[in-house]
Amino acid sequence: QEKEIRTTYNVVNLLDVIIPLKVKTIKSKEIKESGRHPVIDQSQKFISGYSDKAEFLNEVTSPLILFGDHTRVFKYLEYSFIGGGDGIRLFKTNEKVDSKFLYYLLSYYEIESLGYSRHFKLLKKLKIPLPSLEIQKEIIEELEQYQKLIDRAKQVVDNYKPHIDINESWGECKLDDVLENLSINIDPSRLSSEEINYIGLEHIVKNKGVIEGEITSKSKSVKSTKKKFQVGDILYGKLRPNLNKVYYSTIEGICSTDILVLRPKDGFLGEIYSSILLSEKVNNEIMKGISGSQLPRTNFNHLREIQVPKIPIQDQNQILEKLKEEREIVEGNKKLIEIYTQKIEDRITNIWG
């Protein structure tokens, strides 16, 4: 359903201010992890990968806007790229509208979802508010100030990884002396509660020690046997351990059997040793014991022999306080992102009227 526009600005058809362009693309399976040219597709991730196929390079000499025909994602492009997959719509603006202004206007416009159908047909019918170019530039300047604050805060959030300076005087012990491997299997369909926290490998962010996405699931919808975990346990992804998927649990629930449930023994704090597991040094040791070429994995029999710092409990508590201070800063930056994202949304809403 078309949005009612109550703006004080002129209203024009979107098609009257954009110029559709052809885009050269490669197949999704051809996208590589490295290469000379960035590959941009319609996914949420800005750059989906790289390619050396220069014949598919789309030259960008002035800013363009990419629209995901299936995903409804908009991207603002200022450099040359290779298109990835299908469902990409590319256009530039004419002299009536600033491309950055239009990008903001469309990015915060809620386009009706048609499922995995094409959505450009909805854009073709769209009418937009169009202030003068002078006012557009004033709005852009305001929004860019907000965006700069968001970007800086995102750098803090995205780059944060807990780190512990190792004191040689602590000595070392085997991981088996610190953590116990638990295998409490459970059939989710037999649980009495209707909803449960379910964590799969896809929920644990690589190299970060955090989870993302929706983890609350209907008990009946979770298939096959899972493992039970509780608050204070460490979840470690044993499949593709190079991804270093570690999570110190602040909740209870069930998890994939591709995840080890490790419980701290007396005198050891899980939050500290989840950070130790995340460290590059320990991950390198874990990688020495992987098996399977197609689906590389590790197991607790290997992990248990790895040497880790034997940190006195008093020092663990001091480290924990520092980690909490760091996480408070990270949470503060998350809040800042939320606040200034809302400011942008409110400003765009005001333009639409």
Side-chain angles (χ1 to χ4, degrees), residues 11 18 26 45 115 144 220 226 236 238 290 318 351:
V11 176
I18 65 170
I26 61 174
K45 193 175 181 181
E144 288 290 86
K220 305 297 182 185
K226 304 299 176 192
Y236 184 86
K238 62 181 181 181
I290 61 172
Q318 290 176 354
I351 297 168

Side-chain angles (χ1 to χ4, degrees), residues 98-112:
D98 188 292
S99 55
K100 179 61 72 74
F101 171 80
L102 185 61
Y103 165 73
Y104 275 120
L105 193 68
L106 295 176
S107 293
Y108 288 87
Y109 178 82
E110 188 173 346
I111 299 170
E112 178 190 357

Side-chain angles (χ1 to χ4, degrees), residues 5 39 55-56 90 110 158 231 233-234 261 268:
I5 303 177
V39 178
E55 66 271 25
F56 291 94
L90 191 66
E110 188 173 346
D158 293 343
V231 175
D233 288 343
I234 299 171
V261 178
F268 298 99

Side-chain angles (χ1 to χ4, degrees), residues 54-66:
E55 66 271 25
F56 291 94
L57 192 65
N58 299 278
E59 298 287 349
V60 177
T61 55
S62 59
L64 304 178
I65 297 174
L66 180 148

Side-chain angles (χ1 to χ4, degrees), residues 267-312:
F268 298 99
L269 302 179
E271 196 164 358
I272 299 298
Y273 281 90
S274 65
S275 298
I276 296 292
L277 278 174
L278 268 175
S279 69
E280 184 178 356
K281 180 181 178 181
V282 171
N283 186 245
N284 288 339
E285 290 300 315
I286 290 171
M287 291 302 295
K288 293 176 182 177
I290 61 172
S291 60
S293 56
Q294 294 297 320
L295 292 173
R297 65 179 64 235
T298 189
N299 57 65
F300 191 70
N301 283 335
H302 171 61
L303 264 66
R304 72 195 312 161
E305 298 298 325
I306 292 174
Q307 295 289 312
V308 294
K310 188 177 182 180
I311 310 173

Side-chain angles (χ1 to χ4, degrees), residues 46-57:
F46 192 83
I47 295 176
S48 58
Y50 296 87
S51 173
D52 290 324
K53 296 189 173 186
E55 66 271 25
F56 291 94
L57 192 65

